[in-house]
Amino acid sequence: MAILKILQYPDERLHTVAAPVAHVTNKIRLLIQDMAETMYDAPGIGLAATQVDVHERVIVIDISEKRDQLLVLINPEIIASHGASDYEEGCLSVPGIYGKVQRAESVTVKALNAQGELHVVDASGLLAVCIQHEMDHLVGKVFVEYWSQLKLTRTLARLKKKQRRTM
Ligand code: QAP
Ligand code: CO
């Protein structure tokens, strides 16, 4: 297993659109293991393959307290969504930046698991928000890009300043 490097916003590679996984091979299972290890190490509650510069539709999520409920979503598709929520979000690719995004309150997602089996997940609250946030990464969208131009410009300036400090 390995801890992967997480791309940092505004890295252009975060805007790459991921391709569907054709077959859930051992290579994909290895990627999932490494992504899970990277997420747990960070620590974070969700990570999309895009964030580790792999442009395939793979997501890992674990919102459990004990960090023992890994959810793997391969080729996820939202088949139903309801309501509205505005959770405070963060992102491992945008460290230290938090803010609200408008999303659906609950979603039903169809996806393959690590065994390549199709499953359907009904999610609400934090899990639903996390799934939508990670699925956005797979189409090259980062949560801060929902914000106003003014707020995004200020965020970019803060990130630049921070990245200068840690160089
Ligand atoms: C996405 O984000 C998410 O700024 C997952 O310094 C987050 O795991 C969806 C993290 C909240 C919905 C609600 C962020 C770690 C982790 C930071 C994460 C940081 C250290 C973010
Ligand atoms: Co993120």
Side-chain angles (χ1 to χ4, degrees):
M1 302 242 289
I3 303 217
L4 308 170
K5 210 180 125 233
I6 300 173
L7 297 178
Q8 298 296 299
Y9 198 76
D11 194 306
E12 263 312 309
R13 291 169 288 182
L14 286 169
H15 292 136
T16 312
V17 176
V21 172
H23 299 286
V24 181
T25 56
N26 284 335
K27 194 172 146 233
I28 294 291
R29 280 187 274 271
L30 191 63
L31 169 67
I32 289 164
Q33 281 186 21
D34 288 346
M35 282 174 61
E37 193 181 2
T38 304
M39 173 183 72
Y40 287 130
D41 176 73
I45 59 169
L47 188 70
T50 309
Q51 292 177 274
V52 295
D53 204 20
V54 175
H55 303 287
E56 299 193 64
R57 293 183 60 82
V58 177
I59 290 169
V60 294
I61 290 175
D62 192 339
I63 62 159
S64 72
E65 202 97 348
K66 288 165 134 182
R67 320 290 285 146
D68 60 357
Q69 310 267 319
L70 183 68
L71 176 67
V72 174
L73 301 173
I74 301 169
N75 298 345
E77 271 180 65
I78 292 180
I79 55 176
S81 64
H82 299 280
S85 82
D86 62 338
Y87 245 94
E88 181 98 351
E89 301 186 15
C91 180
L92 288 171
S93 292
V94 201
I97 304 290
Y98 303 88
K100 289 184 173 179
V101 175
Q102 302 270 69
R103 301 194 188 269
E105 203 283 324
S106 66
V107 292
T108 303
V109 184
K110 190 176 90 173
L112 301 177
N113 62 17
Q115 286 72 50
E117 303 153 346
L118 194 64
H119 60 148
V120 173
V121 181
D122 268 314
S124 61
L126 177 61
L127 182 58
V129 171
C130 197
I131 289 171
Q132 292 170 84
H133 174 116
E134 302 309 335
M135 284 183 69
D136 271 350
H137 278 301
L138 301 180
V139 291
K141 180 128 181 167
V142 180
F143 80 112
V144 296
E145 293 167 348
Y146 283 100
W147 297 348
S148 68
Q149 193 55 249
L150 178 64
K151 193 170 173 189
L152 180 56
T153 302
R154 285 175 177 165
T155 300
L156 282 165
R158 276 178 65 191
L159 284 170
K160 228 181 195 166
K161 220 167 133 184
K162 234 176 71 167
Q163 281 160 8
R164 264 206 309 276
R165 273 206 305 277
T166 54
M167 264 184 3

